[in-house]
Amino acid sequence: MQELAYEIRDNSGAAHITYHFLSNPWVRQGGELGVTTYPLSWQILYTEKNLVHSDPVVRNALTSALPFLWSEIKMLSHKEKRVMQLFSEQNMGKDGMSIPLRGYVVKLVF
C-alpha cells in the first residue's frame, strides 16, 4: 500500500496522499494510523503527540459522508487549531482534501 500511495501522489499532482485507518484499534493505542507520503518528521510528531484525537480533519471525516476541503472545517477548538498550526509549520501546505470511505460495518478510512 505504501508504494501505491507514492505512485498515486506522483501521478496525480497531489503534494501528499494519506490513507488513514480510523477503525484500526491501534488508533486508540497510539500505533500506526495508515499509509502516508508525509515526511517521517510529521509522522513521528503526529503519533508521539497522539494528534489523531485532536485532529479536526479526523473529527470531520467521522461525521461527513462527502469529500471536504480542510479549509471548510469550522468551529475549531484550541487543540484542533494547534494541530493545523503544527501541520502548517512542517511546510506541508495550508489546505487539503479528504474523502471519507466507509465499509459495510461502518469502518472509516480517508
Side-chain angles (χ1 to χ4, degrees), residues 29-81:
Q29 300 167 9
E32 182 179 339
L33 300 175
V35 175
T36 186
T37 63
Y38 285 131
L40 186 57
S41 60
W42 173 250
Q43 294 176 52
I44 291 169
L45 178 67
Y46 195 89
T47 55
E48 282 183 354
K49 294 196 176 286
N50 208 15
L51 296 178
V52 68
H53 297 293
S54 48
D55 188 335
V57 175
V58 170
R59 176 180 51 84
N60 205 60
L62 289 169
T63 59
S64 177
L66 300 173
F68 60 92
L69 296 174
W70 299 353
S71 59
E72 296 172 342
I73 301 172
K74 304 298 179 210
M75 305 295 288
L76 297 179
S77 70
H78 176 73
K79 286 182 179 181
E80 290 174 334
K81 287 178 186 175

